């Protein structure tokens, strides 16, 4: 009909589990043609609470409106199911922090609960988590890539997210964890393992450091 302006079709934006908020901001910003300032507004949102899902939204959606929509889904899917008795044991923030590490460390969902068990074993033993994914988070930039390949020297970088140098949990989540990762954080698999690594798609865990090094040497010809 002449003179009628048709609205722009809605946009579909996916938050994939394991994304950090800069990646989420880029996904929304690209789909909605946000300016640099608008993307910066979105970056003020909380890491770890950007619930992984597909969002169908109007092309005119503002950063504040997008944050509200994501937050409402997070509240419905996570907070509404987070029992007060659970919160008395572990805060939502700490759960999301552990879950985000699990999300980034796991090769697939089947590994999440045992990795959770290993991380909890380390925390209970007052050992450092030594999670390479936290080093990636500390080093990640738009120029270098948000998840750069870990290097041995990264273990010495000065960052509160360096879990090789700092005890306990990092200051907060490093990514958006899936519901499966959150459930794994709260329901760790009982294991005696303290160390783990992946090699050629296979997950290895060890009870002692000597076992860990022996496996690394067998597979790679060296260990550390």
């Amino acid at each position: 009909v002449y003179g009628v302006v048709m609205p722009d079709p809605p946009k579909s934006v996916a938050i994939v589990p394991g994304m950090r908020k800069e990646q989420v901001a880029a996904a929304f910003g690209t789909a909605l043609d946000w300016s640099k300032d608008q993307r910066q507004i979105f970056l003020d949102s909380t890491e770890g609470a950007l619930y992984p899902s597909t969002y169908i939204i109007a092309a005119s959606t503002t950063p504040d409106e997008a944050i509200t929509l994501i937050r409402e889904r997070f509240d419905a899917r996570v907070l509404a199911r987070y029992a007060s008795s659970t919160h008395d044991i572990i805060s939502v923030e700490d759960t999301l922090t552990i879950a985000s590490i699990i999300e980034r460390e796991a090769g697939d969902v089947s590994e999440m609960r045992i990795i959770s068990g290993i991380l909890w074993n380390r925390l209970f033993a007052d050992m450092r988590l030594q999670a390479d994914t936290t080093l990636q988070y500390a080093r990640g930039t738009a120029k270098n890539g948000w998840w750069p390949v870990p290097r041995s020297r990264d273990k010495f970088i000065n960052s509160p997210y360096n879990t090789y140098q700092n005890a306990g949990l990092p200051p907060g989540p490093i990514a958006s964890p899936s519901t499966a990762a959150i459930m794994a954080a709260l329901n760790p698999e009982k294991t005696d393992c303290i160390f783990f690594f992946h090699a050629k798609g296979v997950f290895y865990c060890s009870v002692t450091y000597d076992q860990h090094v022996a496996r690394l040497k067998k597979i790679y010809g060296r260990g550390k």
Side-chain angles (χ1 to χ4, degrees), residues 12 19 21 26 28 30 42 62 64 104 110 120 122 132 134-135 153 185 187 191 198 213 217 223:
S12 173
M19 278 184 167
K21 66 180 179 180
F28 275 83
T30 299
F42 188 90
T62 66
D64 286 334
R104 295 298 313 180
S110 68
W120 279 112
R122 284 181 160 265
D132 286 353
T134 63
L135 301 181
R153 64 180 181 272
N187 298 277
T191 177
H198 293 87
V213 171
K217 286 182 176 178

Side-chain angles (χ1 to χ4, degrees), residues 18-19 22 32 45 92 103 139 150 170 174 191 193 197 212 219:
M19 278 184 167
E22 294 91 347
L32 301 173
S45 55
V92 174
E103 187 71 60
R139 275 189 58 218
I174 62 171
T191 177
C193 288
F197 67 96
H212 178 64
I219 295 171

Side-chain angles (χ1 to χ4, degrees), residues 129-147:
L129 290 181
Q130 298 185 339
D132 286 353
T133 50
T134 63
L135 301 181
Q136 291 177 293
Y137 186 78
R139 275 189 58 218
T141 63
K143 181 179 179 180
N144 297 331
W146 293 117
W147 300 103

Side-chain angles (χ1 to χ4, degrees), residues 152-169:
S152 293
R153 64 180 181 272
D154 292 342
K155 297 174 183 178
F156 303 99
I157 61 178
N158 182 21
S159 169
Y161 286 90
N162 183 346
T163 55
Y164 279 84
Q165 298 296 323
N166 301 298
L169 294 175

Side-chain angles (χ1 to χ4, degrees), residues 72-103:
E72 287 173 349
R73 197 162 298 184
F74 173 80
D75 289 349
R77 304 284 176 82
V78 178
L79 289 189
R81 302 177 182 180
Y82 206 90
S84 57
S85 57
T86 303
H87 193 279
D88 290 341
I89 300 171
I90 179 173
S91 69
V92 174
E93 174 79 1
D94 285 351
T95 297
L96 292 175
T97 299
I98 295 172
S100 68
I101 296 173
I102 294 169
E103 187 71 60

